[in-house]
Amino acid sequence: MNSLTIATPFYNEQESLKYYFETIEKISKLLKNKINIKFLFIDDGSTDETKQKLFEYKKKKLNQEIKIHCHDKNYGYGRTLKNSIDLSDTDYLITYDSDCTYDYKIINTLVEKMLSRKYDIINVSYKLSNKKIKLNPIRKILSWGGTFIYKIFFSEIINYDIKVFTCSFRIYDLKKIKDITLSSDDFNCCSELMIKTMIKKLKIIEIPGENIGRKFGY
């Protein structure tokens, strides 16, 4: 059976952890008998009780394979993404945020499509969803403007019909991205990784996914 790491970054998420833990238990049931799952929790220098609660959960859930990696300070999302790739040793990697703003059931679609072995990366796009989320004007400008600028500077991406470069919810064929060097420590790393996989001419598709918003925490 193939193997999958679901990697999640945390920064001061003590309010949302109960909901996150409930969600990953649902994910485990959803994927049972389809793929072997490992969980990778990366605490990005939290100053609240997040790290403590992550270790408490791991201690209670002996039936789940959980690895916890802690940063000595808050570096940013890019550092957690790079460590997710470096620390995973499975066939596939899913990056899924702790706020669970995307329906966990989408993971089943990601896994099934990836197991068809037709793709190297599957990206989740809120822009393809039937339900449009309300973004403030500045975020809309940044999202549109960023994609426009990428297409000017990187001719390779014109061959891909990708709407969202900044979404962190994706599944990767891990061996295809292990050799990519990432420099960004902040959220730009999501776009950097996507662009560099396009330069490598990996097989990438995008599927719709509704962003349902954060329920707990900030």
Side-chain angles (χ1 to χ4, degrees), residues 58-218:
K58 178 181 178 179
K59 189 175 181 179
K60 289 190 297 184
K61 297 295 177 178
L62 299 178
N63 62 322
Q64 293 179 338
E65 191 163 353
I66 299 171
K67 181 189 294 184
I68 300 175
H69 179 77
C70 301
H71 293 164
D72 57 353
K73 64 178 182 179
N74 179 233
Y75 286 98
Y77 186 85
R79 182 67 66 94
T80 66
L81 178 57
K82 287 184 280 189
N83 281 334
S84 296
I85 296 169
D86 291 342
L87 296 172
S88 298
D89 58 359
T90 48
D91 298 304
Y92 305 111
L93 167 67
I94 285 179
T95 47
Y96 186 64
D97 286 347
S98 58
D99 53 18
C100 305
T101 54
Y102 285 90
D103 188 342
Y104 73 90
K105 294 176 185 175
I106 297 173
I107 289 179
N108 188 54
T109 303
L110 292 175
V111 169
E112 288 184 349
K113 285 186 176 294
M114 187 59 81
L115 289 177
S116 73
R117 304 189 186 280
K118 295 179 180 178
Y119 314 107
D120 300 317
I121 298 172
I122 303 172
N123 192 48
V124 178
S125 171
Y126 67 86
K127 290 185 178 180
L128 297 179
S129 173
N130 291 327
K131 187 174 181 180
K132 306 300 181 183
I133 63 172
K134 293 182 179 180
L135 293 177
N136 67 55
I138 293 177
R139 286 196 65 182
K140 285 184 178 180
I141 292 170
L142 289 174
S143 179
W144 177 86
T147 302
F148 178 75
I149 291 172
Y150 299 150
K151 290 182 178 180
I152 292 175
F153 285 95
F154 304 100
S155 60
E156 294 88 352
I157 75 174
I158 297 175
N159 298 321
Y160 291 88
D161 186 22
I162 300 298
K163 306 295 184 186
V164 176
F165 283 77
T166 55
C167 181
S168 58
F169 188 20
R170 300 171 184 159
I171 187 169
Y172 304 90
D173 184 333
L174 193 56
K175 65 180 178 297
K176 298 290 184 69
I177 63 170
K178 276 282 192 182
D179 63 338
I180 294 177
T181 301
L182 299 170
S183 59
S184 304
D185 267 345
D186 57 23
F187 216 85
N188 288 311
C189 199
C190 289
S191 299
E192 180 187 355
L193 179 55
M194 182 62 82
I195 291 169
K196 287 182 174 178
T197 59
M198 291 176 175
I199 292 172
K200 282 189 68 176
K201 299 181 179 180
L202 297 187
K203 293 174 288 185
I204 306 169
I205 63 163
E206 200 167 51
I207 66 170
E210 179 188 342
N211 188 316
I212 58 179
R214 173 185 278 272
K215 294 187 177 182
F216 303 96
Y218 171 70

